[in-house]
């Protein structure tokens, strides 16, 4: 089965940095995705890691350690529009399994 | 424009009245799936399909049916809806289940069963 854990909520100030951790225990691993979901909207793709290390994409970076079953999403220079839920998802052999999501609130 | 289209966006129905939520993608993707999203539980997979006429159960399949007669369409059928199926539903498609194949999601269907 799949077990994916991430914090429920985080709050940060505009311009700051926030790190969202995700730990997973899964049967089969073909990569880890991060998605962003604004309230009432569909999830949208942010990043993908399949090898250990850091992937950087503008203000967003994602890290993976396969041996530790651990990933994080780093959001830099936070903006108000970054207030959303961030979903960690693990690609197994035939399915994509999601954590419950972390709601990030950015305060002015 | 590449997209996944779900209909309807909102639906209120009564217990026991059969309904179908449609899903269509225009990206020639092989893999399609249905999720439900409930507060505190995240996205849970209901059914998935790896190609035409190939479907399988996800984590929460009870009370749902699917079919995949054409590559682009993957309807979700609730034969006899019950109030515990009140939820936000998402259809998603991806090129395959291989590495790096991101999922594209439909706009969501908010279903209320009274």
């Amino acid at each position: 089965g799949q077990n994916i854990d991430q914090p429920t909520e985080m709050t940060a100030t505009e311009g700051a940095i926030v790190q969202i951790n995700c730990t997973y225990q899964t049967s089969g691993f073909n990569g880890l995705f991060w998605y962003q979901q604004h309230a009432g909207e569909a999830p949208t793709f942010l990043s993908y890691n399949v090898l250990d290390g850091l992937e950087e994409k503008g203000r967003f970076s994602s890290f993976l350690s396969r041996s530790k079953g651990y990933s994080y999403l780093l959001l830099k220079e936070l903006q108000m529009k970054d207030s959303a839920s961030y979903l960690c998802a693990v690609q197994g052999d035939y399915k994509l399994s999601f954590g419950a999501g972390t709601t990030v609130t950015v305060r002015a | 424009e590449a997209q996944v289209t779900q209909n309807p966006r909102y639906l209120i129905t009564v217990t026991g009245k059969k309904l179908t939520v449609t899903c269509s993608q225009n990206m020639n993707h092989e893999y399609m799936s249905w999720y439900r999203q409930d507060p505190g539980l995240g996205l849970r997979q209901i059914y998935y399909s790896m190609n035409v006429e190939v479907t399988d159960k996800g984590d929460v399949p009870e009370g749902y049916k699917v079919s995949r007669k054409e590559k682009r369409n993957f309807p979700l059928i609730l034969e006899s809806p019950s109030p515990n199926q009140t939820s936000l539903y998402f259809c998603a498609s991806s090129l395959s289940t291989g590495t790096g194949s991101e999922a594209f999601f439909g706009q969501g269907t908010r279903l209320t069963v009274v």
Side-chain angles (χ1 to χ4, degrees):
Chain A
Q2 319 285 53
N3 188 27
I4 302 168
D5 290 316
Q6 50 183 129
T8 304
E9 294 180 334
M10 302 183 76
T11 301
T13 306
E14 198 173 13
I17 298 172
V18 71
Q19 177 175 315
I20 306 169
N21 296 323
C22 172
T23 58
Y24 63 90
Q25 291 174 306
T26 60
S27 54
F29 182 84
N30 285 315
L32 188 143
F33 293 86
W34 285 95
Y35 286 83
Q36 181 190 58
Q37 185 180 25
H38 285 99
E41 298 182 8
T44 55
F45 170 79
L46 281 180
S47 70
Y48 172 74
N49 295 70
V50 67
L51 300 175
D52 287 357
L54 188 68
E55 293 281 341
E56 296 189 82
K57 238 186 194 183
R59 294 189 299 114
F60 293 179
S61 304
S62 57
F63 171 83
L64 175 68
S65 169
R66 292 186 63 168
S67 62
K68 293 182 179 166
Y70 168 70
S71 173
Y72 68 73
L73 179 69
L74 196 68
L75 287 62
K76 293 177 273 190
E77 300 169 20
L78 277 173
Q79 301 175 10
M80 299 301 288
K81 68 178 181 180
D82 298 329
S83 291
S85 282
Y86 292 85
L87 313 179
C88 173
V90 174
Q91 178 68 59
D93 291 329
Y94 300 112
K95 53 189 265 186
L96 186 64
S97 298
F98 286 82
T102 299
T103 300
V104 172
T105 302
V106 181
R107 297 178 305 190
Chain B
E1 181 191 350
Q3 59 185 6
V4 179
T5 304
Q6 286 178 235
N7 279 296
R9 293 289 311 276
Y10 302 91
L11 180 60
I12 301 174
T13 190
V14 296
T15 299
K17 185 177 181 183
K18 181 179 179 180
L19 67 91
T20 299
V21 184
T22 64
C23 174
S24 181
Q25 50 94 5
N26 63 359
M27 295 169 279
N28 202 36
H29 283 171
E30 290 185 351
Y31 188 88
M32 297 184 74
S33 57
W34 276 102
Y35 295 87
R36 61 177 290 172
Q37 188 173 36
D38 302 289
L41 297 177
L43 284 160
R44 293 180 293 166
Q45 192 178 56
I46 303 170
Y47 267 95
Y48 66 92
S49 169
M50 296 183 70
N51 215 322
V52 176
E53 302 290 4
V54 182
T55 63
D56 207 348
K57 296 176 181 178
D59 297 317
V60 288
E62 293 76 23
Y64 305 94
K65 284 174 60 175
V66 293
S67 68
R68 187 94 180 270
K69 294 184 169 54
E70 307 162 283
K71 200 169 187 178
R72 64 185 294 126
N73 295 323
F74 191 45
L76 179 70
I77 303 153
L78 284 73
E79 294 271 3
S80 182
S82 62
N84 65 11
Q85 293 178 297
T86 293
S87 188
L88 179 59
Y89 291 86
F90 287 101
C91 177
S93 76
S94 58
L95 193 59
S96 70
T97 56
T99 56
S101 195
E102 70 178 270
F104 293 81
F105 286 83
Q107 319 94 301
T109 297
R110 188 167 291 281
L111 173 66
T112 302
V113 184
V114 298

